[in-house]
Amino acid sequence: MSILSANIIYSETRAESKNLGKVDKGVGCGVVGCKNPAVRSLSRTEMGGSGLSIGGEGRRVYLCHDHYKTWKKATKKSKSLERTRW
Ligand SMILES: [Zn+2]
């Protein structure tokens, strides 16, 4: 029974922390449609060119493990190609 109420509190806290944009336990990934917990925080400028659509606002962006990997790959690629987009 106590686990059930803890879960309810957890999801409420999670929604709040998302609005505040704090990196803490229970913060969700900032990618639109992703509900995984965030493991990394990056600045919004670092997200440029990654192809990920980030929701919310603020200078910090939070990524889950999967999207962090996606971001890493994407930025690595764009750096090694050294090409202009147009
Ligand atoms: Zn994610």
Side-chain angles (χ1 to χ4, degrees), residues 43-73:
S43 73
R44 198 164 275 269
T45 24
E46 285 178 290
M47 293 308 299
S50 65
L52 296 167
S53 40
I54 305 298
E57 35 189 66
R59 278 184 294 177
R60 302 307 292 175
V61 171
Y62 304 99
L63 295 177
C64 65
H65 186 66
D66 284 358
H67 280 124
Y68 180 67
K69 273 203 291 186
T70 312
W71 170 80
K72 238 182 157 182
K73 252 193 222 167

Side-chain angles (χ1 to χ4, degrees), residues 3-86:
I3 291 168
L4 185 68
S5 44
N7 276 341
I8 294 163
I9 292 162
Y10 173 77
S11 48
E12 277 172 7
T13 317
R14 187 181 159 152
E16 258 176 51
S17 342
K18 217 172 189 179
N19 288 338
L20 291 169
K22 272 186 185 171
V23 84
D24 210 339
K25 269 190 178 178
V27 173
C29 175
V31 176
V32 174
C34 181
K35 295 213 168 81
N36 293 326
V39 292
R40 296 276 178 164
S41 91
L42 300 161
S43 73
R44 198 164 275 269
T45 24
E46 285 178 290
M47 293 308 299
S50 65
L52 296 167
S53 40
I54 305 298
E57 35 189 66
R59 278 184 294 177
R60 302 307 292 175
V61 171
Y62 304 99
L63 295 177
C64 65
H65 186 66
D66 284 358
H67 280 124
Y68 180 67
K69 273 203 291 186
T70 312
W71 170 80
K72 238 182 157 182
K73 252 193 222 167
T75 47
K76 213 192 242 174
K77 213 191 240 173
S78 62
K79 268 177 199 161
S80 62
L81 281 175
E82 293 278 338
R83 267 196 213 164
T84 40
R85 282 175 167 224
W86 39 290

